[in-house]
Amino acid sequence: DGGITQSPKYLFRKEGQNVTLSCEQNLNHDAMYWYRQDPGQGLRLIYYSQIVNDFQKGDIAEGYSVSREKKESFPLTVTSAQKNPTAFYLCASSMGLATFPYEQYFGPGTRLTVT
Amino acid sequence: QQQVKQSPQSLIVQKGGISIINCAYENTAFDYFPWYQQFPGKGPALLIAIRPDVSEKKEGRFTISFNKSAKQFSLHIMDSQPGDSATYFCAASKSGATNKLIFGTGTLLAVQP
């Protein structure tokens, strides 16, 4: 089956700890994205990557870091510098940043709770 | 100018009725307008999308109406079913160097049996 997998589905961490969320896709998509979703808000872009070893900050990148060492993988690290990390995190991919069709396909999400 | 404003925040419709969700944008450079459907605890799924060269696109019970001059677009769900109960997000993007989607804040739809 082609698609995007995110793991784990639920993640619990203590305040002050860094945590890494996994995102893998087998759609052969060039572009990958990380979004954060909070209740009553739309999706907000954290980071995005067009190609391997390249990524750009989105609208709310502070307190987050990413890497793109493989085309299939785009892990997100939530650092202790992120002031309000508890949220639902969504990974997405698309054929390319400037490639039509522009559809972004989403993974099932990881719910992170930091106490 | 990057915002996409979505309304209503929540919507209750009777089974068989028409659900209508509206979005408005300001950036005239936007040229791709998708709608996503999200069930609780799941990732959003692309429902239907439109480009500004057409005023309407229909897929099954779902229709996007697009008004370029008013900078508005809407989702119509005909013959709404309880299984349509979900959160719906509109979005917009500008083709070119990047394909960053700007999302609306979502509409929680409840279809009552």
Side-chain angles (χ1 to χ4, degrees), chain B residues 4-110:
Chain B
V4 175
K5 296 183 179 180
Q6 184 172 346
S7 64
Q9 190 174 11
S10 62
L11 181 61
I12 299 174
V13 173
Q14 296 297 314
K15 179 181 176 182
I18 302 174
S19 304
I20 301 175
I21 304 171
N22 301 299
C23 285
Y25 64 97
E26 296 178 355
N27 189 343
T28 55
F30 287 149
D31 59 359
Y32 173 66
F33 303 90
W35 284 90
Y36 283 84
Q37 179 190 56
Q38 185 180 30
F39 294 104
K42 306 293 185 183
L46 179 66
L47 193 61
I48 186 172
I50 198 169
R51 299 194 74 185
D53 51 347
V54 296
S55 60
E56 185 175 283
K57 183 175 181 180
K58 183 176 181 180
E59 290 185 2
R61 296 185 294 109
F62 300 92
T63 300
I64 298 179
S65 296
F66 184 80
N67 186 328
K68 189 174 182 178
S69 60
K71 293 184 285 186
Q72 295 175 348
F73 58 109
S74 60
L75 176 69
H76 296 234
I77 305 175
M78 312 300 287
D79 187 26
S80 298
Q81 299 297 312
D84 296 331
S85 299
T87 300
Y88 292 82
F89 292 95
C90 63
S93 72
K94 178 178 68 172
S95 60
T98 65
N99 179 23
K100 292 170 56 177
L101 281 174
I102 308 299
F103 283 86
T105 51
T107 296
L108 179 60
L109 172 65

Side-chain angles (χ1 to χ4, degrees), chain A residues 49-62:
Chain A
S49 168
Q50 184 174 9
I51 56 173
V52 173
N53 293 323
D54 182 69
F55 46 83
Q56 305 295 326
K57 292 182 179 180
D59 301 319
I60 55 166
E62 185 176 350

